[in-house]
Amino acid sequence: MVATKTIVREHEADLVVRAADTVADGVLALTLADPSGQPLPPWTPGAHVDLILGDDLTRQYSLCSSPGQPGSWRVGVLRTPDSRGGSERVHTSLPAGATVRVRGPRNHFPLVASPRYLFIAGGIGITPMLPMIAEAEASGADWSLLYGGRERSSMAFLDELAGYGDKVTVAPQNETGMLDLAAVLGTPQPETLVYCCGPEGLLGAVEKLCEDWPPGALHLERFSAKPQEAAEGGESSFELVLERSGLTLEVPPEKSVLDVIRGAGVSVLASCLEGVCGTCETEVIDGDVDHRDSVLNEEERASNEFMMVCVSRCKSARLTLDL
């Protein structure tokens, strides 16, 4: 099988925090730059980077600055009460002047060219939308944003969005109730792409309402793994062939493909271990992949060219990877 894309080895460097600004209740915006003033790698709207916060603590955050400003990157980080340590570390240990290891950028949520966009954001899901909106505006596309949150004080970047006027609808729950998604998604719109990012409840509702929209109209980004149905009859083992390493291994039911690869001493970058960030994307040479990630769209899954080895498995007896 010949893949239609390549996996690019990512930039990794220590960057300095030029600014750490509170942009809403519990939301910190970090501006990151190269200590020597060198330009950072180019990126496109929808990209995110890894902040490597410790030996076993890496978190992904969307870039929410402008791709046209190569001297710095900006990320917005929500301090979550049930934090596993990532957002807490950012808020308490990365003031202006601090240094942090950063890997990326990578983009599994690209903005596809279209004459019309409907952006829907919930809470911190506004971050990837900011550069998308700027690009849509610059291209002359017709667009609108529906932005929900608990209350205005918790909704980041409202000052920036105010400059777009009535193209932006701000809907705090304590003022307007739940987002009226049916009003904007109930009737499929021609030549319109829907981009949505936010909590799982919002994403699930948007997915349901977009079932009658044209294929490919909906684009989502998840911050946590999409709930998966349990495999019928439980997990099964399969043979794993690492083509370039010359290894044939067994993947038992209780281990992931990533676990087995690393156990054999083969290096694979991975971060979230939930099939969300795309770091462990690996080229598939042969095998019927059981895709369980929250990154690839239906077309990409059907092509069977790449998989996220941290969560996905194999339906066939053998899986061959380009490793």
Side-chain angles (χ1 to χ4, degrees), residues 24-318:
D25 292 346
V27 180
L28 191 66
L30 300 183
T31 301
L32 308 170
D34 183 275
S36 65
Q38 294 297 310
L40 297 175
W43 58 281
T44 54
H48 66 266
V49 294
D50 296 340
L51 298 191
I52 303 172
L53 305 166
D55 291 341
D56 297 311
L57 189 59
T58 299
R59 295 291 182 267
Q60 296 75 43
Y61 299 104
S62 297
L63 291 172
C64 59
S65 47
S66 169
Q69 297 175 337
S72 65
W73 288 340
R74 184 179 66 172
V75 297
V77 181
L78 171 66
R79 190 176 197 171
T80 55
D82 57 348
S83 169
R84 294 177 297 161
S87 69
E88 186 70 20
R89 182 76 60 86
V90 170
H91 278 253
T92 58
S93 302
L94 292 179
T99 299
V100 62
R101 190 78 174 170
V102 182
R103 180 192 301 131
R106 75 181 69 89
N107 196 343
H108 289 284
F109 191 43
L111 186 68
V112 178
S114 175
R116 189 174 298 106
Y117 300 96
L118 172 57
F119 299 108
I120 302 173
I124 199 62
I126 190 61
T127 50
M129 302 297 178
L130 294 176
M132 290 185 176
I133 287 169
E135 180 161 308
E137 180 78 0
S139 72
D142 183 20
W143 65 270
S144 63
L145 167 69
L146 178 60
Y147 179 19
R150 295 189 310 276
E151 54 190 8
R152 287 181 186 272
S153 62
S154 69
M155 299 172 69
F157 306 111
L158 289 181
D159 289 346
E160 291 183 26
L161 292 168
Y164 293 114
D166 60 7
K167 291 184 178 182
V168 174
T169 299
V170 176
Q173 188 175 342
N174 68 333
E175 296 178 21
T176 63
M178 301 295 287
L179 292 179
D180 188 359
L181 297 174
V184 295
L185 297 173
T187 303
Q189 300 297 315
E191 297 186 296
T192 302
L193 297 184
V194 179
Y195 277 79
C196 181
C197 186
E200 184 57 39
L202 171 65
L203 299 180
V206 169
E207 281 184 308
K208 184 69 176 176
L209 285 165
C210 285
E211 287 179 350
D212 294 331
W213 283 62
L218 176 59
H219 299 257
L220 301 176
E221 181 172 57
R222 285 182 156 85
F223 290 145
S224 58
K226 183 178 182 178
Q228 300 284 337
E229 295 182 4
E232 292 186 15
E235 305 290 6
S236 59
S237 61
F238 54 91
E239 191 174 74
L240 174 65
V241 178
L242 305 184
E243 183 83 0
R244 284 190 283 116
S245 301
L247 296 174
T248 299
L249 310 164
E250 184 78 8
V251 181
E254 71 277 7
K255 287 190 176 183
S256 69
V257 175
L258 177 64
D259 289 336
V260 173
I261 292 171
R262 286 181 165 177
V266 177
S267 177
V268 176
L269 277 178
S271 181
C272 72
L273 305 183
E274 296 180 342
V276 174
C277 71
T279 306
C280 68
E281 185 175 29
T282 302
E283 184 179 332
V284 176
I285 295 175
D286 189 40
D288 186 6
V289 179
D290 178 7
H291 293 285
R292 303 183 183 185
D293 64 276
S294 300
V295 176
L296 301 177
N297 60 34
E298 291 305 314
E299 182 180 351
E300 290 169 330
R301 291 183 174 203
S303 74
N304 224 39
E305 293 178 338
F306 293 88
M307 69 180 289
M308 307 303 154
V309 294
C310 67
V311 293
S312 296
R313 298 183 67 82
C314 187
K315 300 175 185 177
S316 52
R318 172 182 285 199

